[in-house]
Amino acid sequence: AQTVTQSQPEMSVQEAETVTLSCTYDTSESDYYLFWYKQPPSRQMILVIRQEAYKQQNATENRFSVNFQKAAKSFSLKISDSQLGDAAMYFCAYRSPGGSGYALNFGKGTSLLVTP
Amino acid sequence: GAVVSQHPSRVICKSGTSVKIECRSLDFQATTMFWYRQFPKQSLMLMATSNEGSKATYEQGVEKDKFLINHASLTLSTLTVTSAHPEDSSFYICSAKAQIDDQPQHFGDGTRLSIL
């Protein structure tokens, strides 16, 4: 089974600064999907960004970007110009390819605190 | 965007009661739905995967008779916690996915279950 590791239980960033959340994973598959989800106190799961393993280009979504290093099995999330609303739990997740039958495999999460 | 509706959002009931949670995909056909459980300050733990029209596949350690899952249509899956006890108190969250492989999962807003 694939494992997803988030080694930072908590991170803190000042408003307008940049922060990077780390994620590593273990897999023997060559094709897969990687995701970052945000879970604010409301506990909604909000998709932040996704990356297909076969794509070499790093995904970006406005202030959010990833550094995908396939050989190193690393998938970090960079949040630029941090805002107070970015404060939340962030989960890295892995999914195998092959139709709809595969669930997301989540890391333990990183709690991000944004200070004014 | 795709919407998944989960009801109820919060339920408080007495020990021994059975509780049903509904998960509906409102604007797409969900060939697969997933049920997760989340304890406070922890990650999402997959409980079971349900495919429309067939029996759910449960993860190791999840009691099938305790957590009954039905996925009778392409838009509705239900999780029934039977004879609930205080240790079943948790946050339960569903997600739904269409058949197309590169489409992401869409999450419901979750159900906070409290058993007195």
Side-chain angles (χ1 to χ4, degrees):
Chain A
Q2 295 79 19
T3 57
V4 178
T5 302
Q6 293 179 250
S7 59
Q8 306 153 316
E10 294 181 352
M11 290 285 285
S12 181
V13 63
Q14 220 166 8
E15 207 174 357
E17 296 297 309
T18 296
V19 65
T20 298
L21 308 184
S22 67
C23 172
T24 59
Y25 56 94
D26 184 28
T27 184
S28 58
E29 296 175 323
S30 59
D31 194 19
Y32 45 86
Y33 298 92
L34 296 167
F35 305 84
W36 278 98
Y37 280 88
K38 171 185 177 182
Q39 189 180 42
S42 66
R43 303 190 83 168
Q44 285 180 303
M45 292 294 287
I46 301 167
L47 177 63
V48 175
I49 200 165
R50 55 177 281 175
Q51 175 83 43
E52 290 89 345
Y54 65 87
K55 291 186 178 179
Q56 291 185 335
Q57 187 172 8
N58 289 323
T60 62
E61 287 289 341
N62 301 314
R63 299 183 294 109
F64 299 88
S65 61
V66 297
N67 183 2
F68 174 47
Q69 300 290 327
K70 191 172 183 179
K73 296 179 183 175
S74 171
F75 183 61
S76 61
L77 174 70
K78 186 172 81 171
I79 305 174
S80 304
D81 185 25
S82 297
Q83 300 175 358
L84 294 177
D86 295 334
M89 282 290 291
Y90 285 82
F91 293 101
C92 179
Y94 175 104
R95 184 176 75 81
S96 298
S100 61
Y102 293 100
L104 292 167
N105 191 357
F106 288 94
K108 290 188 175 182
T110 297
S111 178
L112 178 65
L113 175 66
V114 181
T115 56
Chain B
V3 176
V4 173
S5 173
Q6 184 174 343
H7 290 283
S9 58
R10 179 74 190 265
V11 59
I12 303 171
C13 58
K14 294 180 179 179
S15 186
T17 306
S18 291
V19 178
K20 180 183 283 188
I21 303 169
E22 291 190 349
C23 182
R24 293 180 184 272
S25 58
L26 298 183
D27 54 359
F28 68 100
Q29 292 185 330
T31 50
T32 306
M33 289 188 173
F34 304 94
W35 288 94
Y36 296 87
R37 183 173 182 176
Q38 186 179 30
F39 291 105
K41 299 187 184 301
Q42 294 190 24
S43 188
L44 279 71
M45 181 186 73
L46 179 67
M47 298 176 65
T49 301
S50 75
N51 292 295
E52 184 265 337
S54 60
K55 290 184 179 180
T57 302
Y58 290 81
E59 295 300 299
Q60 192 172 9
V62 178
E63 298 177 58
K64 300 179 184 180
D65 296 333
K66 161 68 78 175
F67 300 101
L68 299 178
I69 292 172
N70 183 277
H71 191 166
S73 76
L74 284 171
T75 59
L76 174 65
S77 177
T78 60
L79 167 66
T80 301
V81 184
T82 62
S83 186
H85 289 93
E87 59 266 29
D88 299 323
S89 299
S90 192
F91 187 71
Y92 295 87
I93 190 165
C94 71
S95 71
K97 193 183 178 311
Q99 177 66 38
I100 301 171
D101 187 42
D102 68 350
Q103 292 300 304
Q105 291 183 23
H106 300 282
F107 284 86
D109 287 345
T111 297
R112 188 184 303 274
L113 176 62
S114 300
I115 308 299
L116 304 178

